[in-house]
Amino acid sequence: MEWIVVLLAPIAGSFAGVLIRRIPRKAPVALARSCCETCGHALGPRDLVPLLSFFLQRGRCRFCNSRIDPFHPAVELAAMAVAVSALAVRGAGDPGIWWDVTLGWTLLTLAWIDAENLRLPDVLTLPLLLGGLCEGVLSPNGLPLLDRVVGALAGWAGLAGIAALYRRLRHRAGLGGGDAKLLAAGGAWLGLEAIPDVLLAGACCGIILALVLAGMHKRNLAMTTLIPFGPCLALAIWAVRLGQVASGN
């Protein structure tokens, strides 16, 4: 029944969309009703069915006929991509896939928030770290808890140390504190040996992102140009996780 994660993925993506929109604004997540972003009309159940409502309403609000931000189906489809990739690598019949998608959907949310707001909120990074440690306790297979604890400490210390050294040499911030916490969470899920792979993959992704941004804006990047590292780090953590699952580690 593990294939159900694919059916649940749009719902997870819809919730991720709520977090992406509300956490940076410090808006309530659970109590406030969803509203049209243009007319402010409260949305009912028929307006909130992930993916289906958007396509049946042809991407427009049924109250004011304004265009619905394509962000909503995009994040729901991205959540489906996370579930499909996890299922393809893990295979059906392995309950470990629930740990995979929990990691993947949280990484997706964090990456999107950082891409839009240049911040990685503690309200997501710290529970993600604890989730990796919980997997070590509750899952009969996988990495032992001690390896996860050491990986989390090494991940945090590595990026925090680099950030402190950069600040000392350049007299400005080079990495945010959220990046170190995200790598700590990655260490809790992947273990100590995976930290170099995550850093290498994240750095390569960051270079590619910088080149893409430079090409899009048709300008040279300066040392002071702000580039979100969280999406690169999140993608690297997810790729290494899938690699570990595929290899049976």
Side-chain angles (χ1 to χ4, degrees):
M1 296 293 287
E2 280 67 33
W3 55 267
I4 292 178
V5 296
V6 178
L7 298 180
L8 294 178
I11 300 174
S14 180
F15 181 64
V18 172
L19 298 178
I20 292 167
R21 283 290 186 256
R22 297 184 183 181
I23 287 178
R25 302 199 309 261
K26 297 182 179 180
V29 173
L31 300 179
R33 291 189 62 181
S34 296
C35 301
C36 172
E37 295 174 348
T38 301
C39 67
H41 198 290
L43 303 178
R46 63 179 288 190
D47 305 300
L48 298 172
V49 180
L51 292 177
L52 187 61
S53 293
F54 180 87
F55 290 109
L56 289 179
Q57 295 170 195
R58 299 184 178 182
R60 293 192 173 275
C61 172
R62 65 187 178 95
F63 300 104
C64 66
N65 202 40
S66 62
R67 181 172 173 268
I68 299 173
D69 191 339
F71 155 80
H72 300 286
V75 71
E76 290 161 9
L77 288 171
M80 284 193 68
V82 168
V84 169
S85 62
L87 185 62
V89 173
R90 174 78 66 172
D94 189 339
I97 195 172
W98 295 102
W99 292 104
D100 297 336
V101 294
T102 297
L103 171 63
W105 290 333
T106 309
L107 289 173
L108 171 64
T109 306
L110 282 164
W112 213 302
I113 290 176
D114 195 37
E116 291 187 345
N117 301 277
L118 293 173
R119 61 185 294 254
L120 293 164
D122 290 349
V123 71
L124 292 177
T125 53
L126 299 183
L128 184 63
L129 189 156
L130 292 176
L133 299 180
C134 286
E135 185 188 32
V137 174
L138 300 176
S139 178
N141 302 314
L143 298 169
L145 179 60
L146 180 59
D147 192 8
R148 295 170 185 266
V149 172
V150 175
L153 292 173
W156 177 83
L159 277 191
I162 292 173
L165 180 61
Y166 186 92
R167 181 183 291 274
R168 183 178 181 86
L169 294 176
R170 305 292 300 184
H171 305 292
R172 61 172 177 265
L175 285 170
D179 295 319
K181 294 171 188 174
L182 179 55
L183 186 56
W189 285 86
L190 307 175
L192 177 61
E193 290 186 4
I195 295 298
D197 294 334
V198 171
L199 283 174
L200 177 60
C204 292
C205 180
I207 293 171
I208 294 172
L209 177 59
L211 294 174
V212 169
L213 292 175
M216 289 175 58
H217 297 287
K218 297 181 180 180
R219 66 183 183 187
N220 294 326
L221 295 176
M223 291 295 291
T224 55
T225 302
L226 296 178
I227 298 175
F229 189 50
C232 304
L233 207 51
L235 181 60
I237 292 171
W238 181 239
V240 172
R241 170 71 175 204
L242 294 181
Q244 286 185 337
V245 172
S247 64
N249 294 328

